[in-house]
């Protein structure tokens, strides 16, 4: 036998023997599944937080709500292997991880996927004896607001389970909000929103919620004997949307009347409010117009007097005979629903 062939045969035999001697991988831990799910949630927060759509807002916000729930599951299953959970718990654990991973890979952030991600985690918490009284936030509204030019009261509604133990508290950008109504399934707060400089870019305000695990009926009787419980904290990122659909400027090519000479003239346009219309007069002698639009999400479009197709958030009409140009913006809710 050729020595090279003999060498490969010896190496192959040695590899098989080593593989047989190696220990088989142990059962997968719950902690490892939760670590993967947490990593997916952090990716969603990072990536969706830069996108400008209602789906992206909810994806980021629900991923933030998922993080403390994963921590609660981790505490309740410390040291356990996945196989030690019952079939229902394993299904919800894997469902949470798969839903988060699916959302992380998404490009358009469907709202149904974001809802499913939290629903799986909520179901898992409800099956664990240590966390079935855990306060779980599943939704809140509003998810986005337009940056206010003046101080504005803002009502925040938080929905979930086991939310009303002790005295839940909410703050907006560090300022406390007033608790207006409370039940196990819903909290209502009134916050004061200060005037905000319009930066023409998407931002987020921080809503910090502190809740407490619910108690059995006899818990009140022994409260005076125990230390105050540690609050469960949620961070709710409220999307702050610029006050206008975007900014516009235009350039007109004008016939000066001097032996057919033409000149380029800047046509002021400016900002257009959500759902508003901006009418612009074109200069005398204009023969061609170019309109440049930059939406609040950063997308840039160009329209001309010969071609002006509708865009996701606005449409332009350029009438050279009437020497008029109109820019009509969608309402905010309608615009955010666009792909």
């Amino acid at each position: 036998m050729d020595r090279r062939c003999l060498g490969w045969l010896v190496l192959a035999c040695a590899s098989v023997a080593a593989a047989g001697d190696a220990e088989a991988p142990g059962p997968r831990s719950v902690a490892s599944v939760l670590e993967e799910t947490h990593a997916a949630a952090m990716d969603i927060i990072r990536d969706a937080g830069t996108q400008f759509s209602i789906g992206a807002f909810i994806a980021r916000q629900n991923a933030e709500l998922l993080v403390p729930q994963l921590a609660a599951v981790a505490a309740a299953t410390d040291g356990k292997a996945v196989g030690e959970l019952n079939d229902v718990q394993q299904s919800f654990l894997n469902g949470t991880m798969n839903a988060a991973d699916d959302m992380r890979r998404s490009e358009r952030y469907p709202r149904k996927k974001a809802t499913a991600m939290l629903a799986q985690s909520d179901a898992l918490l409800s099956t664990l004896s240590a966390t079935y009284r855990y306060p779980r936030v599943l939704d809140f509204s509003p998810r986005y607001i337009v940056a206010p030019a003046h101080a504005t009261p803002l009502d925040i509604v938080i929905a979930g389970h086991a939310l009303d133990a002790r005295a839940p508290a909410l703050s907006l950008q560090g300022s406390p909000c007033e608790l207006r109504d409370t039940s196990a399934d819903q909290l209502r707060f009134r916050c004061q929103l200060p005037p905000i400089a319009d930066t023409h870019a998407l931002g987020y305000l921080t809503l910090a919620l502190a809740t407490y695990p619910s108690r059995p009926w006899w818990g009140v009787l022994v409260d005076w004997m125990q230390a105050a419980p540690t609050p469960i904290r949620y961070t709710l990122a409220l999307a702050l949307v610029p006050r206008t659909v975007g900014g516009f400027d235009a350039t007109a090519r004008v016939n000066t009347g001097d032996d057919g000479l033409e000149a380029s003239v800047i046509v002021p346009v400016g900002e257009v409010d959500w759902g508003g219309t901006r009418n612009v007069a074109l200069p005398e002698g204009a023969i061609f117009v170019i309109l440049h639009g930059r939406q609040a999400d950063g997308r840039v479009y160009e329209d001309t007097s010969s071609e002006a197709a509708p865009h996701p958030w606005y449409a332009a009409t350029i009438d050279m005979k009437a020497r008029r140009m109109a820019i009509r913006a969608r309402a905010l809710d309608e615009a955010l629903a666009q792909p």
Side-chain angles (χ1 to χ4, degrees), residues 8 31 36 45 47 78 135 144 171 192 260 279 286 298-299 318 333:
W8 282 111
E36 287 188 24
I45 293 169
D47 297 335
D78 186 34
Y144 59 88
S171 65
Q192 294 298 323
N279 291 297
R299 286 183 288 183
I318 303 174
D333 293 345

Side-chain angles (χ1 to χ4, degrees), residues 30 77 80-90 93 124 128:
V30 175
T77 59
K80 286 189 176 182
V82 173
E84 294 180 67
L85 304 181
N86 63 42
D87 291 344
V88 173
Q89 291 168 338
Q90 290 185 44
L93 175 66
L124 175 58
L128 299 169

